[in-house]
Amino acid sequence: MKKKFSHKKNKIVKKSVKKVVKKREEIKVAVEIDVNVSLKIENAEKEKELVSLVNNVKDDHCENSFIKIRSTLNFYIKNFSKRYRIPGCDADEIEQECLFALRYKAIEDFDETRGRFKSFAILCIRRHLFSLIKGNNQQKRKALNISISLDEDR
C-alpha cells in the first residue's frame, strides 16, 4: 500500500511542479513581451523627437537642434572616422565630412514618410564617404595623394 501511496504522491508533486514551471514560462513570456513593447514605444518617441529636431534645422536653421542630432549620431560618426581611410585625410577631416553629409545631405533630403531618420542619416553619411573614397582613388588624383609637401619637415 505504501508504494502505491508514494507513487500517487510523486505524480501529484510532478504535476504541481509542471504547473509551476508552466506558470513561470508564461510570466517570463509576458514580461518579455511587455519589455519589447516598452522598447518599441521608447524608440518611437525618440524617432518623433529626432524628426522634430530635423524639421527645426530645416525650417529655422536652428544650431541647437543640429547639436542634439549630432550627439545622437556621434557614436556612428566617430566609428566612421576610425573605420574608413581616405588618402590625404586624417580622422578629424573624415569626421567633418560626416558632419557635412549629415547637415547638408541627410537633414535636407529627409522625408519622414519614407522611413526612420537615424537609418537614413547613416546611409547618407556612408554613401558620402564612399563617394569621397572613390573620387580620391581615381588615377588623376594619384600624384596628389602620394606626393610629399615641400613645407613638411623631413
Side-chain angles (χ1 to χ4, degrees):
M1 281 298 240
K2 288 186 177 183
K3 287 183 180 180
K4 289 183 180 179
F5 179 73
S6 64
H7 183 65
K8 287 182 181 179
K9 189 177 179 182
N10 284 341
K11 281 186 176 181
I12 293 171
V13 169
K14 285 181 182 179
K15 284 182 181 179
S16 64
V17 168
K18 285 181 182 179
K19 286 180 182 178
V20 169
V21 169
K22 190 175 180 181
K23 280 287 188 191
R24 283 186 181 173
E25 288 175 0
E26 289 173 0
I27 292 170
K28 186 177 178 182
V29 169
V31 167
E32 287 176 1
I33 291 172
D34 198 30
V35 168
N36 287 339
V37 168
S38 64
L39 286 176
K40 286 180 182 179
I41 291 171
E42 186 177 316
N43 288 340
E45 290 171 357
K46 285 182 183 179
E47 181 63 25
K48 285 180 184 177
E49 181 183 349
L50 265 177
V51 169
S52 68
L53 291 171
V54 167
N55 290 334
N56 285 345
V57 173
K58 269 187 194 180
D59 300 337
D60 305 331
H61 302 289
C62 181
E63 287 303 314
N64 291 332
S65 297
F66 179 71
I67 291 170
K68 289 179 184 176
I69 294 170
R70 178 186 175 183
S71 67
T72 303
L73 296 170
N74 200 31
F75 169 77
Y76 297 101
I77 292 170
K78 295 280 187 192
N79 192 11
F80 289 149
S81 67
K82 291 176 187 174
R83 183 185 298 171
Y84 298 114
R85 294 284 167 235
I86 299 174
C89 296
D90 60 351
D92 292 334
E93 291 172 340
I94 294 172
E95 194 173 320
Q96 289 297 316
E97 289 293 337
C98 291
L99 291 174
F100 174 81
L102 175 64
R103 173 63 182 96
Y104 294 105
K105 292 184 178 184
I107 290 176
E108 295 299 323
D109 296 337
F110 178 65
D111 180 14
E112 61 187 278
T113 61
R114 297 189 64 197
R116 295 181 8 204
F117 175 72
K118 190 173 183 180
S119 302
F120 180 72
I122 292 169
L123 179 73
C124 285
I125 293 169
R126 186 175 285 143
R127 285 183 178 173
H128 181 72
L129 290 177
F130 287 159
S131 67
L132 286 174
I133 292 169
K134 190 175 176 182
N136 279 333
N137 288 336
Q138 293 174 348
Q139 289 294 326
K140 64 183 178 182
R141 293 195 187 9
K142 216 160 210 141
L144 179 66
N145 291 333
I146 62 172
S147 63
I148 300 172
S149 173
L150 296 174
D151 297 332
E152 191 175 291
D153 291 335
R154 294 179 194 209

